């Protein structure tokens, strides 16, 4: 199994920046990638950003493209989400996701962190 521990959430002013971290442990071998989803009350959990382990290719939702950047630290088995130019609509619980090989961002078996709340004030 895979355990994911998120950190970095909090309160930030609109236009500001915040960096989320996700540390993976356990059976982390053979993966498609790691990334981030977010969810607000009454809405479905939506994909935000992902990093495909093979080749380091990144994927972003259109709503965050150019503002959010995902990166990784292979030595620490950690994924980061650098968020800038934050908007009120970015307010959500952000979940780290681990997608094993054979899975994808929106399909297949996935492991989730407990989530970290990001609140953007205006």
């Amino acid at each position: 199994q895979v355990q994911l521990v998120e950190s970095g959430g909090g309160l930030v002013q609109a236009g500001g920046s915040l960096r989320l971290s996700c540390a993976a442990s356990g059976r982390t071998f053979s993966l498609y990638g790691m990334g981030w989803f977010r969810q607000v009350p009454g809405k479905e959990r939506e994909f935000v950003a992902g990093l495909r382990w093979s080749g380091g290719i990144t994927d972003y939702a259109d709503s965050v493209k150019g503002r959010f950047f995902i990166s990784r630290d292979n030595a620490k088995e950690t994924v980061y989400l650098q968020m800038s130019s934050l908007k009120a609509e970015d307010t959500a619980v952000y979940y780290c996701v681990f997608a094993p090989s054979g899975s994808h961002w929106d399909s297949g078996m996935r492991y989730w962190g407990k989530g970290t709340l990001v609140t953007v004030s205006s």
Side-chain angles (χ1 to χ4, degrees), residues 3-118:
Q3 182 180 13
L4 305 172
V5 179
E6 302 129 322
S7 62
L11 176 65
V12 64
Q13 296 288 328
S17 300
L18 201 64
R19 189 180 77 158
L20 306 182
S21 299
C22 175
S25 62
R27 191 176 180 180
T28 58
F29 305 137
S30 184
L31 72 160
Y32 172 75
M34 294 180 65
W36 297 88
F37 279 66
R38 67 186 182 187
Q39 187 171 30
V40 298
K43 295 185 178 181
E44 294 184 345
R45 189 173 298 185
E46 66 173 350
F47 173 78
V48 175
L51 196 161
R52 292 181 247 176
W53 233 245
S54 180
I57 298 172
T58 56
D59 303 298
Y60 297 96
D62 289 340
S63 60
V64 306
K65 191 173 297 183
R67 300 188 299 118
F68 291 10
F69 297 92
I70 188 170
S71 61
R72 68 183 178 187
D73 185 331
N74 291 333
K76 296 182 178 181
E77 297 182 335
T78 301
V79 172
Y80 306 94
L81 183 67
Q82 180 65 50
M83 305 181 292
S84 61
S85 300
L86 284 163
K87 307 173 181 179
E89 51 262 44
D90 293 319
T91 296
V93 176
Y94 285 71
Y95 297 89
C96 181
V97 62
F98 178 103
S101 180
S103 298
H104 299 88
W105 304 130
D106 294 317
S107 64
M109 175 65 182
R110 286 161 291 170
Y111 296 89
W112 302 94
K114 294 182 178 180
T116 184
L117 177 63
V118 172

